[in-house]
Amino acid sequence: MTKQSLFKGTMILTVAGFITKVLGFANGIVLANVIGPEGVGLIMMAMPVTGLLITLTTLGLPIAISKLVAEAEIKGNYRRVKKILVVSLVTTSLLGFILMIVAIFGAKALSSHFLTDQRAYYSLLAVIPIVPIVAVSSVIKRYFRGKQIMTPIALSQAIEQVVRIGLIFFLVQWLLPYGIEYAAAGAILCGIIGEGFSLLYLFSVFKWSKHKKFKLHHSFIKQLSKGKEIFFDLLKMDCRQLETA
C-alpha cells in the first residue's frame, strides 16, 4: 500500500467524513424511530462516562504516534516505527482493559450516584467494553496517518456505521419487548459490534499490507522489552501538545 499525497489524503478523509456523517444521521433517525426519545436519553446518559474512560486510556497518545511514525518514516527507521506501534498498542490495551474492568465493577455505583435514571445502568454496562476497542483502533489509525495512508481509516469509519445501522433495527426490535432500558443497551451493543468490525478491518489491512519490513509478530516481545525510550518519547510529545494547547 503506497503513501498518498497530502491533498489526496485530505480529500479521502473529507469524503469519508461526509459519508460517515450522513450514515450517522441515518443511524440517529433509525434509532429515534425504534426506541424513541426516552431510549435515546438513556443512551446519552451513559456516553459521557465512556468518553472520559477513552480519554484516560489513550492519554493523548494517538497524535503523538502520528508525529513519531512520520518522523521515523522520513528517516527510513522502520525498526523505530515497529517499536512505536508495539509500545502504543501495549500501553493503550492494558489501560483500556484495566479501566474497563474497574468501570464494569463500578457501573452500579456510577449509575446510582451520577445518572438521573437508574435504567441507564444497562446502557452504561453495555457501552463500557467499547473502551479498549476504540483505544486500540485509534492507535492503528494514527499509525496509518503517520505513514500517510488514509484509505483504511476512511473505509473503517464507513464499515463501523454500516454494521451499526444494519444491526440496530433487528437487535433493538428484538429487545424492545423486554423494556426500553434493554433496547437502549442493545443499540449501544450494535455500536460496539460496528467498532469491532472496523478494528478487524484495520488489523486485516495492516496484516496483509505490503510492508515487508514490518513483521510485528516476529519480534513483539523483543521490541516491547526495548520500548522504554519510545514510551518516554510518546509522553514527551504528549506534554508538548498540552503546553501548546
Side-chain angles (χ1 to χ4, degrees):
M1 190 173 294
T2 57
K3 293 183 179 180
Q4 293 156 344
S5 66
L6 178 61
F7 176 76
K8 185 176 181 181
T10 302
M11 288 302 299
I12 289 173
L13 292 181
T14 301
V15 173
F18 174 75
I19 294 173
T20 302
K21 291 294 184 182
V22 172
L23 291 174
F25 177 71
N27 171 62
I29 292 176
V30 172
L31 191 61
N33 288 332
V34 174
I35 64 176
E38 186 178 6
V40 173
L42 294 176
I43 294 174
M44 291 299 103
M45 289 182 190
M47 296 309 293
V49 177
T50 309
L52 175 61
L53 292 175
I54 292 173
T55 301
L56 292 174
T57 300
T58 56
L59 296 173
L61 291 180
I63 298 176
I65 292 166
S66 292
K67 292 183 177 179
L68 291 181
V69 168
E71 291 174 358
E73 278 283 310
I74 292 173
K75 298 176 182 177
N77 192 344
Y78 300 104
R79 183 174 297 179
R80 181 173 172 81
V81 174
K82 184 187 295 186
K83 288 181 181 179
I84 293 169
L85 185 59
V86 170
V87 172
S88 302
L89 285 174
V90 171
T91 302
T92 54
S93 298
L94 285 177
L95 283 174
F97 279 109
I98 291 171
L99 287 174
M100 180 185 72
I101 293 171
V102 171
I104 287 175
F105 282 104
K108 197 70 176 179
L110 285 172
S111 61
S112 299
H113 295 91
F114 297 102
L115 304 183
T116 57
D117 193 324
Q118 294 299 307
R119 294 176 300 173
Y121 165 73
Y122 299 100
S123 296
L124 178 61
L125 202 61
V127 78
I128 288 172
I130 204 173
V131 173
I133 297 175
V134 171
V136 174
S137 178
S138 66
V139 169
I140 299 177
K141 287 178 180 178
R142 284 295 176 171
Y143 163 76
F144 281 120
R145 280 180 181 267
K147 295 184 74 69
Q148 299 178 13
I149 302 174
M150 306 302 179
T151 304
I153 302 173
L155 291 177
S156 68
Q157 293 173 350
I159 289 171
E160 186 269 327
Q161 289 291 344
V162 169
V163 172
R164 176 184 294 188
I165 295 172
L167 288 175
I168 274 180
F169 184 80
F170 299 102
L171 183 58
V172 173
Q173 286 281 18
W174 178 64
L175 290 172
L176 200 55
Y178 297 95
I180 192 66
E181 61 271 29
Y182 295 103
I188 290 177
L189 286 176
C190 293
I192 294 177
I193 295 172
E195 287 284 355
F197 271 92
S198 174
L199 181 58
L200 286 175
Y201 167 74
L202 289 171
F203 266 127
S204 65
V205 172
F206 176 76
K207 181 178 179 181
W208 297 110
S209 60
K210 298 178 180 179
H211 302 309
K212 301 299 183 182
K213 298 179 181 179
F214 201 111
K215 296 180 179 179
L216 185 62
H217 60 285
H218 286 180
S219 55
F220 186 88
I221 301 299
K222 181 179 178 182
Q223 296 300 329
L224 180 61
S225 64
K226 299 179 180 180
K228 186 183 295 185
E229 177 188 350
I230 299 297
F231 179 74
F232 286 113
D233 285 345
L234 287 168
L235 291 182
K236 288 178 183 177
M237 185 70 71
D238 199 20
C239 291
R240 290 174 192 169
Q241 294 167 21
L242 292 175
E243 291 174 359
T244 57

